[in-house]
Amino acid sequence: MTGLPLGRTRRNTLRGTLCALVLVAGAGLAGCSGQDPDAGTNGVGKLSAAQIQKRTRAAADAARSVRLSGNVVTKGRTYKLDMRLSSQGGTGSVTSQGTTFDLLRVDQQLYLKADAAFWSRADGGKGGATDSGAAAKLDGKYVKVPQDDPSYQRLRGFTDKEVLLGGLLTLHGTLDKDGYHKESGTRTIRITGSDGSGGTLDVSLEGTPYPLRLVRAGDAGTLTFSEWDKNVPLAQPDKSRTVDYGKQLPAS
């Protein structure tokens, strides 16, 4: 039997040793393990970046509900969101400039709930709910937001799944793929716009290709998406906890 050249034996031994060390360290290089990174996935990692974006948008649109949390920067103001959204409405909290308020929308009826301090600051000290007695009465109550109030559409947007996702899930610039990653223990494929300057989006490789994490372009915030297609219980608040403020809320 002809023996292998000593040099080749050493090279193979060295390669095997390095691969073993890599695997022990958890790096799992495909070149060493021979594993297909798309094995056991939903297959979207094999698609082009444009196809992945189209597929994940379709999945998000078709889902009945989602939980959206994180920060959004718009017009120089940062909003911290934790919203559960469905096709029938939404519920959750919004924080901006150190002030937190809750929103609840059931179909077209929108409610805003906040503490007395929030209402005391409303209207910029020009009357209305700024009276301490009035603010105390609104403390912790679900205040109806009239549909003809100037703030209705802006506040409603925080509770609208179609509006929020439609404005968030499009990356800007030239699309490309940025490898395989993990988000909260779920394997993802990451796509980018203009080498990341147009934003990045992690898409699930497990089950339905839902978007899981978005880093918006221009440092405009980071959002995570979870609880896809889970039930979002929405119900009109009890009348004892509801206040009809009138035709227009105080500005805040």
Side-chain angles (χ1 to χ4, degrees), residues 143-203:
V143 179
K144 289 184 178 180
V145 181
Q147 293 188 30
D148 56 357
D149 186 281
S151 64
Y152 178 86
Q153 290 298 331
R154 178 169 54 87
L155 293 173
R156 188 188 189 282
F158 289 118
T159 68
D160 193 310
K161 172 179 173 285
E162 183 178 352
V163 169
L164 271 181
L165 296 187
L168 292 172
L169 292 180
T170 299
L171 300 178
H172 303 285
T174 303
L175 298 182
D176 204 352
K177 295 196 290 187
D178 187 27
Y180 296 84
H181 300 267
K182 276 194 174 183
E183 175 60 31
S184 300
T186 299
R187 289 180 294 171
T188 67
I189 181 70
R190 180 173 297 168
I191 58 175
T192 69
S194 296
D195 294 325
S197 64
T200 69
L201 182 66
D202 279 68
V203 177

Side-chain angles (χ1 to χ4, degrees), residues 70-122:
N71 298 314
V72 173
V73 181
T74 178
K75 296 181 180 179
R77 179 175 291 187
T78 299
Y79 296 91
K80 181 180 179 181
L81 308 179
D82 187 2
M83 300 296 302
R84 290 176 172 85
L85 310 169
S86 78
S87 57
Q88 286 75 43
T91 181
S93 65
V94 179
T95 300
S96 179
Q97 296 182 323
T99 299
T100 298
F101 55 91
D102 293 340
L103 292 172
L104 168 65
R105 182 174 63 84
V106 183
D107 294 324
Q108 298 305 314
Q109 184 59 65
L110 178 65
Y111 300 89
L112 187 154
K113 184 176 75 168
D115 60 16
F118 172 90
W119 293 110
S120 294
R121 289 190 292 269

Side-chain angles (χ1 to χ4, degrees), residues 118-119 122-124 127-130 138 143 149 151 245 248-252:
F118 172 90
W119 293 110
D123 228 14
T130 55
L138 298 177
V143 179
D149 186 281
S151 64
Y245 192 81
Q248 184 172 328
L249 298 180
S252 177

